[in-house]
Amino acid sequence: MVLVSTTLRDDGAAGGLRAAEAAEWAISPGLTDYDAAVAVMERRAAAIHAGEAPELVWLLEHPPLYTAGTSAKMTDLRAPDRFPVYKSARGGQFTYHGPGQRVAYVMLDLSRRGRDVRQFVRGLEDWLITSLSEFGVIGERRDGRVGVWVDRTRPGAALREDKIAAIGVRIRRWVSFHGISLNVEPDLSHFSGITPCGVSDPGLGVTSLVDLGLPVTMVDADTALRRSFEAIFGPTVDAGGPA
């Protein structure tokens, strides 16, 4: 399954995921309209490419909605009238966003971070896995399945693995946007309106930190995400807002 959509132009390269300058870190309260968020990302990514704005990591929550990535199959939309459905320029298939899920839109200049898309995506996975480890959760990669998974299989029982975090990015002219989502305490029944990321195998589902029995708040999750991001991608500075 494709999770990265790219429009690249090769005009130089650098090394490593860490950049010399700090990225801005912004958190929006309440629920953010999806189209408005995409417009902000488009403007910011263009400004980063032009050298007119610093990199940005933007944390938010959306109202309940489904997004269809560039590889989405309409047969995976089980309940088309349940929530608004948005076409998305990110890679990947169908996903759900809603209250209780932390979305982090990541606008980084990969021309200053190594120009290695595979390494960048692995860095996003490492970011999520490291964040989860702060709560004692073992997040894992799975070949052929995008995102971060939790093995909940009991001894002697059938396979049970649940997805706790998703990744879907767009890279245009070596600037990334869209990003990751982490299930803190969303309504997991809302995922039933789609086949999340096209994965419908028996024994595979979705979970959240609270579903795992952990009393994690959004503030707790944000703190872990920021600390882990800085360990992998470099320092951040507070921003007043995403614009």
Side-chain angles (χ1 to χ4, degrees):
M1 178 173 64
V2 177
L3 66 90
V4 181
S5 180
T6 59
T7 304
L8 306 178
R9 186 177 66 200
D10 192 4
D11 52 10
L17 285 174
R18 299 171 71 91
E21 298 178 4
E24 290 190 336
W25 188 272
I27 303 176
S28 290
L31 302 179
T32 301
D33 176 78
Y34 185 77
D35 282 337
V38 171
V40 170
M41 283 193 287
E42 291 275 359
R43 290 195 301 269
R44 187 60 171 253
I48 292 170
H49 174 71
E52 298 170 350
E55 298 175 313
L56 174 67
V57 181
W58 181 22
L59 276 61
L60 53 79
E61 293 174 85
H62 285 303
L65 58 91
Y66 298 129
T67 66
T70 55
S71 301
K73 301 175 182 177
M74 293 309 297
T75 53
D76 286 333
L77 181 59
R78 299 173 176 174
D81 299 323
R82 187 171 187 181
F83 299 125
V85 180
Y86 296 87
K87 289 186 177 180
S88 175
R90 64 163 174 81
Q93 302 187 44
F94 274 102
T95 194
Y96 165 78
H97 295 314
Q101 181 192 73
R102 177 52 87 204
V103 173
Y105 289 136
V106 184
M107 288 150 273
L108 300 183
D109 186 354
L110 300 190
S111 66
R112 295 190 287 131
R113 293 178 179 267
R115 292 198 172 205
D116 187 328
V117 174
R118 186 167 297 179
Q119 183 188 30
F120 171 61
V121 173
R122 188 170 185 85
L124 296 177
E125 294 171 339
D126 288 341
W127 175 26
L128 287 163
I129 290 169
T130 303
S131 299
L132 289 168
S133 71
E134 294 205 13
F135 305 107
V137 175
I138 300 174
E140 299 178 298
R141 300 175 175 87
R142 288 291 181 264
D143 290 342
R145 287 193 256 135
V146 173
V148 176
W149 296 77
V150 177
D151 188 347
R152 306 178 75 179
T153 307
R154 295 181 178 179
L159 174 72
R160 169 78 185 278
E161 291 187 347
D162 289 342
K163 189 172 187 176
I164 195 167
I167 299 172
V169 295
R170 169 83 178 176
I171 299 172
R172 179 186 297 150
R173 296 180 296 185
W174 292 107
V175 176
S176 69
F177 55 114
H178 295 276
I180 62 99
S181 61
L182 173 64
N183 295 335
V184 180
E185 192 180 7
D187 185 336
L188 296 179
S189 71
H190 290 178
F191 285 88
S192 65
I194 57 172
T195 303
C197 297
V199 178
S200 59
D201 296 347
L204 303 181
V206 291
T207 190
S208 70
L209 288 166
V210 171
D211 181 57
L212 293 173
L214 300 169
V216 178
T217 68
M218 195 65 75
V219 172
D220 295 333
D222 290 348
T223 300
L225 284 167
R226 187 168 190 176
R227 186 159 42 231
S228 300
F229 179 91
E230 290 182 337
I232 295 166
F233 292 97
T236 62
V237 295
D238 290 329

